[in-house]
Amino acid sequence: MTHIVAGPQGSEARQSRLARIMALVTLAGIVFAVAGTLWVWTDRALVETLLAPQFGLAGRAVTVTPMVQLAGLALSAPPLALLIYMLLQARAVFRGFAVGMRFTDLVATRVSRIGLILVAKGLLAPLWRAAAGVVLTLGNPPGQKILAISISSDDVLWAIVGALLVAIGWTLREAARIAEENASFV
């Protein structure tokens, strides 16, 4: 009985397939992020039950008016734009992997960009939550307006993971340089 063992070519084919799937997943992530943001901010009940607790307003009175919803959408635009940019960078990395681009300066740059975006998310998320909390309580009567600033362990974790990806990007850049140097000797 003959057994076929998947060698490097079989492994590369599997990696390329997985990379193509992940490129599609990142595209789906972009669509869901945009649709989800629009859906949540246009549904008053979701703003009150889903978003308010995330902004430190659980059990507090919030006033959800059309103006608050528009302000919320506007406030969500910068983090949503960062998420979309990050997913586009990840998609480009996966598409490169699908065609065999592994140790290149471009991959290193994109991984570093993803890391920088995660660092920015970790640092800016408390400010965005605080601003959203102000927006949600702006229509409340005097004495019931709230500014809640909180730093969660998730914020710190995002910043650390982002910094790690930046460092991996530096390492990939050096690996790409060495691979290019070795290729020139052959």
Side-chain angles (χ1 to χ4, degrees):
M1 181 191 291
T2 305
H3 295 285
I4 298 175
V5 178
Q9 291 176 345
S11 175
E12 285 180 23
R14 272 194 311 278
Q15 289 173 359
S16 290
R17 241 186 342 270
L18 180 60
R20 281 191 295 278
I21 290 168
M22 290 307 298
L24 289 173
V25 168
T26 57
L27 187 59
I30 291 168
V31 170
F32 285 124
V34 171
T37 300
L38 291 172
W39 177 43
V40 169
W41 278 109
T42 56
D43 185 332
R44 284 183 174 175
L46 286 177
V47 171
E48 293 171 352
T49 59
L50 187 66
L51 293 182
Q54 286 186 2
F55 302 142
L57 301 173
R60 307 280 184 140
V62 294
T63 306
V64 182
T65 64
M67 204 59 176
V68 165
Q69 290 171 295
L70 283 174
L73 276 170
L75 191 60
S76 294
L80 182 61
L82 278 177
L83 175 62
I84 290 169
Y85 184 66
M86 183 185 74
L87 288 172
L88 288 172
Q89 294 301 307
R91 178 174 165 74
V93 168
F94 289 126
R95 290 179 75 191
F97 284 172
V99 296
M101 289 177 55
R102 302 276 195 292
F103 292 108
T104 67
D105 197 45
L106 189 57
V107 169
T109 298
R110 289 189 167 138
V111 169
S112 291
R113 286 177 187 164
I114 291 168
L116 289 171
I117 291 166
L118 291 177
V119 169
K121 180 198 183 325
L123 296 175
L124 296 174
L127 300 175
W128 282 320
R129 283 193 304 269
V134 168
V135 166
L136 286 175
T137 60
L138 208 52
N140 288 1
Q144 291 186 5
K145 295 176 182 161
I146 298 171
L147 170 62
I149 298 176
S150 64
I151 298 174
S152 75
S153 58
D154 285 349
D155 300 330
V156 175
L157 182 63
W158 284 121
I160 290 170
V161 169
L164 178 63
L165 283 175
V166 169
I168 289 171
W170 293 337
T171 304
L172 286 173
R173 187 169 287 113
E174 183 63 18
R177 187 192 62 74
I178 290 170
E180 186 178 315
E181 189 176 291
N182 287 342
S184 69
F185 289 131
V186 176

